[in-house]
Every structure is written in structure tokens, then in C-alpha cells.
Amino acid sequence: MIVAGIMSGTSADGIEVALVRISEPTTSTGRTGSVLRRTSAPNSSRQFRLVGHASFSYRKTVREAVLAGMNASAASVADLARLNFLLGELYAEAVLAAQRKFRLRAELVGCHGQTLFHQGEHQPFLGRKVAVTWQTGEGSIIAARVGVPVISDFRPADMAAGGKGAPLVPFLDYMLYRDARIGRIVQNIGGIANLTAISAGAKAHEVRAFDTGPGNMVIDAVMERLYHKPFDRNGKMAGSGTVLENVMAKLLRAPFFQRKPPKTAGREEYGREFAQAFLKLCGRAPKQDIVATATALTARTIATAIRKFVLPTQKSFRELVVSGGGAKNATLLAMLANEVQPLGLSLRLSDEFGLPAAAKEAAAFALLAYETWHRRPSNVPSATGARRPAILGKISYA
Ligand SMILES: Nc1ncnc2c1ncn2[C@@H]1O[C@H](COP(=O)(O)OP(=O)(O)O)[C@@H](O)[C@H]1O
Ligand SMILES: [Mg+2]
């Protein structure tokens, strides 16, 4: 089956479409497609191959509308409703364009959607405590335009099962990167940076995953403010600056980095307000030093998280496999390699394992959709904190 996965992350940079060929595991023991086969462990003999990947940037006005939609205290309900349908159209167009480009037709679509608000922890609301999440991008529109069923809105089912609704990519990470002898830490650097730790020979319930802190989000915000550019292409600015160590020391003291996983972060933590406070701390320092410091913050907080929370649990970790848009930032990668080398980890790119860095998350939602279509759960409870495996998402028929 060919499945199209659609991802648009917290960077609000645009849409990734991955076309993936997936087929049932040949040595499957359970009754394929049956609800009785409640395993969250992807079978290793499953066929899974990326057959096409395309990126589509949001137009500037759309990006602004998406960012405005994430501004919880100011967004208008009418605009959010409009955005939901507009994104459905844009996602559908992206899938149709990717299909034309690769001369393929998907039989199923999995769409993550654009997160407008995520609060994975229970917090008081109207006398109750609720954990909530909201991904937008109307599945019914995508289904109607592309002409095939669409699975969307994956996170709520995990939260209903007591999980934080994130991260969901560990299901793919476990399938692709586990190894009998080498422990791997899979590090995605999107707007937020998150890792999946898979020790050598790990069972699915031993997989750990959490957000390490900012990925590109602070770098992007600083580039916008100082240079009116959406991001630091190839890490050029950061590469010409020097890290402001006094600022860094203050930043690293933040409670988030000390807090034990599981933990999640988003634009709520590292968005506009954080960027403003960060710029204030940097004062009148040279612009390129500020970008270098924002970049080093990502590299150091990843390394700190690994040293504090991953390496002490298990001795088999040897590789750090990097994906996400941050993998294109050469300065960030060099800083990260420097940080993790003393920890006995070598840096690899997800590309080396057959998935281009930018395609991985989109491919993951193709896989999750495929599992849901076969009525199988695809959350990893040890990663999200859910009490049980859950079948994720909602189906829109064409
Ligand atoms: N050539 C590049 N050089 C430096 N950074 C890049 C490059 N391409 C993408 N990025 C960074 O990656 C980000 C997008 O990463 P992505 O994985 O799509 O994140 P998200 O999942 O949050 O949308 C951009 O906002 C930018 O910061
Ligand atoms: Mg993106």
C-alpha cells in the first residue's frame, strides 16, 4: 500500500509530504488487521520504504496566520475555523503535487496537522483538570480533494489513554533504528528538539522519548528579529559568531532542563516570550554572537539531556542519529558533534538509514495512519506515558 504522510511542525515553515510504500509483516503471528492484535511493537520484517518526498513552504501570509493562530490569548475563533479548512486545502494540494512529481497515487493519507495548542499535562480548568491538544487541518477536505481516506488528529487518543499525546514518532524510530548490538539515540531537531532512546536489543516498552528543549525555534526567532530572515541558512551566521558563555550559563539553569523526563515543550515554552527574554539577556552583544548562542543552546541542552537522563539508564548507546530541519544547519551539527563526542557518541544522519532528515516525521505519520487503518495501536506508552496502547486518529472517508 502507498501511504502519503503529511507533517507541518511547530516551526510553521511549511508542509512535508512523504510517500511511503508499506506492506504487512511477512512473519506476522497475530491476525493481521484484527483488533485482537494489540501490539505496539512494529514487526521488524515489515516492508517500509520511502518512495517520494517533497517540501512545500507556506506563503508568508499563511505562515503569519499559522503563527497568529498559535497565539492562544489573541486568536479569533472565526480565523481558526477558516485556517482549519484552508490548511486542509493546502495539505491536499501538497499531496496532489507530490503524487504528480513521483507519478504515484496514495491509497491512504496520514495527516498530523498543524498544532495550535498543546498542553500535555493536566491543569485546572473550570473546576476540573484537563490535558488538551489541538491539531488543525481538516481531514474531510483532504479526503474529498485527494479522493482517498484520511487519518488525522492522532494525539487525542493517546491522551484519552492517559498519555501526553507526544511524542508519537518513536513508533517509527523503534521500527527503523533499533539494533541488537548498538544503542541509538534518535534526535529530531524541528522547532523543538526531541529524542528517542533505543538501547541495544530494547523491547518496545523500554523505549524512552522526550523533548530536550528548543530546536530551531529560538534560532529562527532571533534571525527574524535581528536579520529579518526566517532562519540561519546552513548555520552561516552562528558560524561567524562566538557563544556568549555568561548568557548560556543563565539559560541552562532553567527548570525545564533539570526536570526528569517524560516532558514536552512547544511554542508555549520557547516561542515569542522566550525569544524576547533571551534577546534581553544578550543585551548589546554582536548579532552573530547572539545567533551563535541560540544555536549552542540547542546543542548543549541536547547533550545535557543525554548525559543526565539517557546514558545513566543503559550502557549500550553509541550513536546519535539526527533528523529534522536542524540537520541542515552545519554549525549546529558541528556544535552537537563536539558536545556528544566526549559522551562516546558518534553523530549520524537519518539520511544514512534511508530517510532524508526532512522526511522522517512525515513518513512517521504515514506509518501511523497505516496502523490505524489496520485497527492497530501505534502509540508507544513508555514514550507518551499512556496507560495502554491506543489506536490513534480519526478517519475521514472520501
Ligand atoms: N538549510 C538550512 N539551514 C539551516 N536551518 C535550516 C535549513 N533548512 C531548514 N532549517 C531549519 O529547520 C526548520 C524546520 O525544521 P522542521 O524539521 O521542518 O521543523 P518543524 O517540524 O518544527 O516544522 C527551519 O525553521 C529552519 O530553522
Ligand atoms: Mg517543518
Side-chain angles (χ1 to χ4, degrees):
M1 185 184 225
I2 292 179
V3 187
I6 312 171
M7 179 69 202
S8 46
T10 45
S11 296
D13 55 326
I15 304 167
E16 309 286 342
V17 176
L19 294 168
V20 179
R21 194 184 295 277
I22 315 178
S23 57
E24 284 301 285
T26 45
T27 59
S28 167
T29 46
R31 283 199 287 145
T32 310
S34 161
V35 270
L36 298 176
R37 193 167 163 259
R38 295 188 72 86
T39 170
S40 64
N43 191 302
S44 57
S45 58
R46 179 197 310 275
Q47 303 291 309
F48 180 90
R49 201 160 60 86
L50 182 76
V51 288
H53 165 238
S55 306
F56 306 87
S57 296
Y58 283 142
R59 276 204 327 267
K60 192 164 185 289
T61 46
V62 173
R63 176 161 204 259
E64 281 164 7
V66 168
L67 291 174
M70 292 172 177
N71 189 355
S73 55
S76 106
V77 179
D79 282 348
L80 295 182
R82 291 175 186 126
L83 189 61
N84 183 43
F85 278 67
L86 176 75
L87 287 178
E89 299 286 359
L90 298 182
Y91 290 149
E93 283 167 19
V95 171
L96 292 171
Q99 290 190 150
R100 277 194 302 274
K101 179 170 176 188
F102 296 100
R103 295 172 190 273
L104 292 168
R105 293 281 284 270
E107 294 150 79
L108 180 71
V109 172
C111 179
H112 172 271
Q114 185 75 59
T115 297
L116 292 179
F117 189 75
H118 184 79
Q119 176 213 304
E121 307 282 348
H122 281 77
Q123 284 180 17
F125 182 68
L126 306 179
R128 298 280 289 262
K129 282 193 156 187
V130 289
V132 303
T133 191
W134 193 9
Q135 281 74 44
T136 187
E138 184 47 55
S140 301
I141 295 283
I142 308 171
R145 303 295 180 262
V146 180
V148 298
V150 174
I151 320 268
S152 58
D153 212 9
F154 290 86
R155 300 190 188 276
D158 178 76
M159 297 176 77
K164 291 176 196 298
L168 297 182
V169 178
F171 189 81
L172 173 82
D173 290 337
Y174 181 67
M175 186 183 85
L176 289 185
Y177 303 109
R178 70 180 150 158
D179 189 274
R181 283 166 296 117
I182 301 169
R184 294 198 172 111
I185 300 164
V186 187
Q187 180 71 55
N188 191 69
I189 311 179
I192 294 294
N194 61 280
L195 67 75
T196 306
I198 311 161
S199 56
K203 300 276 185 299
H205 69 268
E206 293 166 326
V207 172
R208 294 286 174 273
F210 60 94
D211 289 347
T212 55
N216 301 296
M217 196 176 276
V218 181
I219 305 171
D220 289 356
V222 164
M223 285 301 296
E224 188 67 56
R225 282 287 291 272
L226 300 179
Y227 295 98
H228 304 289
K229 295 253 164 69
F231 60 94
D232 181 16
R233 188 171 291 280
N234 305 330
K236 211 162 163 241
M237 283 310 162
S240 65
T242 310
V243 177
L244 305 164
E245 291 296 342
N246 55 338
V247 173
M248 183 61 70
K250 285 191 190 128
L251 294 172
L252 292 178
R253 267 186 245 135
F256 182 84
F257 306 123
Q258 322 299 327
R259 200 190 316 150
K260 283 205 189 114
K263 53 184 175 176
T264 61
R267 212 163 264 286
E268 297 78 10
E269 285 78 14
Y270 296 105
R272 196 188 310 244
E273 283 166 33
F274 181 91
Q276 263 161 16
F278 171 74
L279 283 169
K280 206 167 158 208
L281 270 180
C282 294
R284 291 172 180 280
K287 289 193 215 174
Q288 64 273 28
D289 291 4
I290 299 177
V291 182
T293 307
T295 308
L297 177 66
T298 297
R300 297 229 189 138
T301 50
I302 289 171
T304 308
I306 292 172
R307 183 168 46 75
K308 280 171 90 100
F309 304 122
V310 179
L311 299 185
T313 61
Q314 232 273 349
K315 300 280 163 253
S316 68
F317 294 105
R318 299 285 175 273
E319 293 179 353
L320 184 67
V321 183
V322 180
S323 62
K328 302 236 178 76
N329 183 325
T331 306
L332 176 56
L333 281 190
M335 286 175 172
L336 192 55
N338 247 338
E339 293 284 336
V340 300
Q341 196 241 343
L343 305 177
L345 297 173
S346 53
L347 206 68
R348 301 188 63 183
L349 293 178
S350 75
D351 305 56
E352 298 171 45
F353 297 84
L355 268 188
K360 201 186 89 170
E361 296 214 314
F365 284 94
L367 176 64
L368 266 53
Y370 181 84
E371 293 303 301
T372 300
W373 190 243
H374 291 88
R375 293 205 194 180
R376 291 189 297 251
S378 58
N379 59 338
V380 177
S382 60
T384 63
R387 288 185 294 274
R388 57 173 170 80
I391 301 174
L392 306 179
K394 293 160 191 165
I395 305 180
S396 306
Y397 290 97

